Amino acid sequence: MTNPTVLPGATLGVLGGGQLGRMFVHAAQSLGYRTAVLDPDADSPAGLVSHLHVRCGYLDADGLAQMGACAAITTEFENVPAQALTALGEKLPCAPEGASVAVCQDRAAEKAHFVACGVPCAPHAVIETPEQLAAVADALLPGILKTARLGYDGKGQVRVATRAELARAWDELQRVPCVLEKMLPLAFEVSVIVARGRDGAVVALPVQRNLHRDGILAVTEAPAPGVTDALAAQALANAQRIAEGLGYVGVLCVEFFVLQDCSLVANEMAPRPHNSGHYSIDACDVSQFELQVRCMAGLPLVAPRLHSSAVMLNILGDLWFDERGCERTPAWDRVLALPGAHLHLYGKTSARRGRKMGHLTITAATPQAARETALAACAVLGLPAY
Ligand code: ATP
Ligand code: MG
């Protein structure tokens, strides 16, 4: 079946109502679409700004039937049950498809896909049984034990140095299926966001460099400092191969490690726009969310152009507490006094430590100027310099 192009005026649906869904809704609405969000939370960031908010669980038959009235469907997080997307996909265009999302939901399947595409990833072993635990090669230690499913922001991960620690960590993780990855000597981390259309056309954002703190993305820089043209081309080619291997339609983010010997290793992928691509809203002429809209609607994809240097700082709930743990409001007025400051707050009703509340993108004419202003913003907000 060839799906018709979905033109503005139609309703686009998204499964999940978090900040990614909210920024998708903003992009869709600015192109003139109506939007529908499925999310159980009455105060979900995307539900609050959408024309329609279908408030129910992801497998609720009535809710899915309501979403089935949309002209096309996408998802904003990978842990939406793949069967919900697959069921909707029988009736209307879904980008990405349930089968692609299913691969991204499972670290073991994801790694197997990287290997099948000839894309290097960390040496690893799948641990689902005590026999597999016992058979782990010594060469994988020290390593990181990661749950195969439902991990994010460093959750569901334990660093292990010895076999005894590994056995204990697996117990701690309730012996769910896991992947043990060898700890690699990272120089730094980058990610690539590609968009692949129904016709197989692929476009990408420029490679961006990411800094994590406590397993959570803290800073993204574009263009990526320290990334040669050759390394960028390799990252783009690998991300494209991964998307093509899945027959993927939609926006896909691939996270990579750059090792100390300058080699490139794929870490994981997300079947949706990604936190590391948020800068594209303010620094590119086509954002990752507009690409998501174009992919699901079957519209042409045009290559995004980075028109400004950018630094994105993630804003976590920690900023709402002072040194003594008392609640406060961050000094947004002082942040907004900085040139090229673009503040995005997600409308979340309560701040918690580690919770993603928003992000700040600094745009400037040069990487140096973006960095200087971003460091000034860090100083105002009480964020560590990077
Ligand atoms: P996300 O929020 O991106 O989904 P996640 O919880 O799925 O994160 P990973 O991306 O697997 O976690 O790991 C989080 C961070 O831990 C990485 O960005 C990297 O800094 C570090 N890390 C993970 N695996 C390794 C490894 N094999 N060697 C060294 N560092 C690693
Ligand atoms: Mg990650």
Side-chain angles (χ1 to χ4, degrees):
M1 172 179 86
T2 49
N3 288 310
T5 305
V6 177
L7 292 175
T11 300
L12 300 181
V14 58
L15 302 183
Q19 61 267 19
L20 298 172
R22 179 182 174 99
M23 290 181 269
F24 162 78
V25 163
H26 287 153
Q29 290 180 346
S30 101
L31 283 168
Y33 291 96
R34 295 178 63 81
T35 59
V37 170
L38 186 147
D39 191 288
D41 177 4
D43 288 327
S44 75
L48 289 173
V49 296
S50 178
H51 293 94
L52 181 66
H53 178 187
V54 178
R55 255 183 76 192
C56 65
Y58 296 104
L59 289 172
D60 182 284
D62 288 346
L64 289 177
Q66 278 189 68
M67 295 302 281
C70 294
I73 291 283
T74 188
T75 182
E76 67 118 36
F77 87 135
E78 59 269 40
N79 291 323
V80 56
Q83 65 260 44
L85 272 173
T86 306
L88 286 167
E90 285 166 7
K91 291 192 280 183
L92 66 163
C94 281
E97 291 181 347
S100 298
V101 174
V103 174
C104 302
Q105 283 174 346
D106 184 312
R107 271 186 207 281
E110 184 174 81
K111 289 251 185 320
H113 180 65
F114 293 161
V115 172
C117 293
V119 172
C121 62
H124 63 279
V126 176
I127 300 179
E128 292 175 338
T129 65
E131 292 70 36
Q132 287 172 319
L133 179 78
V136 158
D138 286 330
L140 293 182
L141 295 169
I144 307 186
L145 186 67
K146 304 180 177 182
T147 58
R149 295 181 154 270
L150 298 173
Y152 70 99
D153 290 347
K155 294 184 176 66
Q157 301 197 3
V158 187
R159 298 188 172 212
V160 292
T162 63
R163 303 189 83 88
E165 282 180 23
L166 172 62
R168 230 177 300 134
W170 196 44
D171 283 342
E172 259 171 53
L173 295 173
Q174 317 284 326
R175 299 194 167 209
V176 296
C178 283
V179 173
L180 174 69
E181 270 178 52
K182 186 180 172 65
M183 181 77 79
L184 297 174
L186 310 191
F188 57 89
E189 298 181 58
V190 299
S191 57
V192 174
I193 287 157
V194 294
R196 187 166 181 272
R198 290 182 195 163
D199 60 355
V202 175
V203 299
L205 295 182
V207 176
Q208 54 270 341
R209 179 164 167 168
N210 303 320
L211 172 71
H212 294 80
R213 292 194 187 109
D214 301 325
I216 306 177
L217 182 67
V219 182
T220 294
E221 295 170 276
V227 173
T228 60
D229 289 348
L231 189 66
Q234 202 187 337
L236 285 167
N238 283 351
Q240 181 164 350
R241 265 214 302 246
I242 289 166
E244 279 166 358
L246 288 168
Y248 193 86
V249 179
V251 172
L252 178 79
C253 175
V254 184
E255 294 182 60
F256 294 93
F257 300 140
V258 180
L259 304 189
Q260 282 162 17
D261 65 3
C262 296
S263 60
L264 188 74
V265 167
N267 172 26
E268 58 171 358
M269 58 180 170
R272 50 167 174 78
H274 191 259
N275 197 167
S276 63
H278 290 354
Y279 73 88
S280 61
I281 296 173
D282 301 301
C284 294
D285 56 2
V286 187
S287 76
Q288 62 170 350
F289 300 102
E290 181 173 335
L291 290 174
Q292 184 179 20
V293 172
R294 286 175 179 248
C295 286
M296 73 193 288
L299 289 168
L301 298 182
V302 292
R305 182 175 64 86
L306 183 76
H307 55 67
S308 297
S309 297
V311 176
M312 190 246 15
L313 304 172
N314 250 353
I315 293 171
L316 303 183
D318 306 59
L319 293 187
W320 275 254
F321 301 94
D322 69 14
E323 316 76 54
R324 287 164 297 141
C326 296
E327 281 208 45
R328 65 171 176 198
T329 301
W332 303 129
D333 49 348
R334 291 174 58 208
V335 168
L336 290 169
L338 298 168
H342 307 270
L343 180 63
H344 299 262
L345 293 174
Y346 306 145
K348 296 189 183 178
T349 43
S350 65
R352 283 195 307 273
R353 291 189 188 276
R355 188 176 198 202
K356 289 176 180 169
M357 301 297 289
H359 69 271
L360 178 72
T361 300
I362 304 292
T363 55
T366 64
Q368 180 59 24
R371 182 182 165 82
E372 276 168 23
T373 307
L375 289 173
C378 289
V380 169
L381 289 169
L383 288 169
Y386 63 91

